[in-house]
Amino acid sequence: MESIIHLEKINYLNWHDVEDLRVTREQKCFLPDNVTSLAYAGIVREAGFQVFTFGIYKGDKPIGFAMIGYDIPYEPDDDLNEKYRFTRSSYFIWRFMIDQRYQGKGYGKEAMKLILDFVRSGPCRQSEYAWLCYDPENTAARKLYASFGFEEVPEAYSAEDDEILAVLKL
Ligand SMILES: CC(C)(COP(=O)(O)OP(=O)(O)OC[C@H]1O[C@@H](n2cnc3c(N)ncnc32)[C@H](O)[C@@H]1OP(=O)(O)O)[C@@H](O)C(=O)NCCC(=O)NCCS
């Protein structure tokens, strides 16, 4: 069955669509607002990395946002990057959110399917892995990612950022 959700690349015409999307007050600690994320995507691109920013739409209604980066270093430290080699030449999914008005309706799951279809299509090049990070207390995100087969890498837990890293073999 065709998804009622679709992704649109953010550009200078549609970026206002995601500007006012909000998570709940309790979820604000998990990610910055979308305009900050768009600014950050620009900085990461300036540093020479490929980043895709997507609006998530139900019909013509914007309901969410996500970013996908390619070959983004997990840590500035080269030794750690060597240890977590799957983070190199692979896709990093981050800043994924569904606006609070649309949560709990299955749209996050639909959107993640589309994000993984995009990643599997190899927009930069074919890759073996996708990975992401999340706060261990973010039960909704943790369960959603696990349902897609993301596996946690316990030794990569960052106490400083309070984030777990999880990886999916594509
Ligand atoms: C995580 C998020 C994107 C999920 O979006 P959503 O549209 O509400 O999710 P769905 O309705 O598609 O639910 C998908 C799965 O997520 C999990 N889930 C969603 N809401 C949940 C909740 N309140 N409690 C526990 N699990 C939950 C469930 O496993 C659910 O599958 P199931 O219904 O078959 O059990 C959304 O909660 C969100 O935007 N959170 C704030 C931003 C955020 O934390 N992003 C992640 C940063 S790493």
Side-chain angles (χ1 to χ4, degrees):
M1 200 178 70
E2 204 175 317
S3 173
I4 55 164
I5 301 296
H6 73 276
L7 306 179
E8 281 181 28
K9 279 189 188 157
I10 295 293
N11 57 43
Y12 75 103
L13 291 175
N14 68 6
W15 72 273
H16 286 296
D17 287 354
V18 298
E19 187 182 10
D20 294 327
L21 300 179
R22 296 277 178 271
V23 297
T24 67
R25 190 167 353 145
E26 295 73 32
Q27 293 169 335
K28 275 188 179 165
C29 56
F30 298 138
L31 77 182
D33 65 82
N34 294 337
V35 173
T36 304
S37 291
L38 285 171
Y40 188 63
I43 292 167
V44 178
R45 283 190 193 111
E46 279 283 309
F49 297 100
Q50 279 174 288
V51 182
F52 303 90
T53 52
F54 282 109
I56 300 166
Y57 291 77
K58 176 176 183 267
D60 57 4
K61 209 185 298 252
I63 64 162
F65 177 75
M67 287 177 22
I68 300 167
Y70 178 72
D71 202 26
I72 307 281
Y74 172 54
E75 295 274 354
D77 180 330
D78 279 344
D79 289 345
L80 278 176
N81 286 324
E82 193 52 39
K83 189 169 170 195
Y84 305 120
R85 275 206 73 76
F86 57 82
T87 62
R88 306 318 312 266
S89 305
S90 64
Y91 291 93
F92 177 43
I93 300 165
W94 82 127
R95 308 293 168 85
F96 176 49
M97 60 83 71
I98 297 290
D99 181 274
Q100 55 182 334
R101 292 166 294 170
Y102 302 101
Q103 290 182 14
K105 301 175 193 294
Y107 301 147
K109 203 182 267 187
E110 283 295 311
M112 182 51 72
K113 264 188 220 148
L114 297 176
I115 290 168
L116 291 176
D117 286 348
F118 176 75
V119 159
R120 287 189 171 107
S121 75
C124 298
R125 60 191 291 190
Q126 291 297 331
S127 178
E128 224 179 324
Y129 298 104
W131 59 285
L132 37 74
C133 298
Y134 47 88
D135 187 312
E137 292 188 5
N138 193 347
T139 312
R142 196 173 192 173
K143 279 180 66 179
L144 186 149
Y145 299 147
S147 75
F148 279 90
F150 280 90
E151 289 183 22
E152 296 187 351
V153 183
E155 66 273 19
Y157 174 73
S158 160
E160 194 182 329
D161 299 332
D162 196 18
E163 290 216 314
I164 293 174
L165 185 156
V167 61
L168 173 72
K169 186 134 178 23
L170 293 169

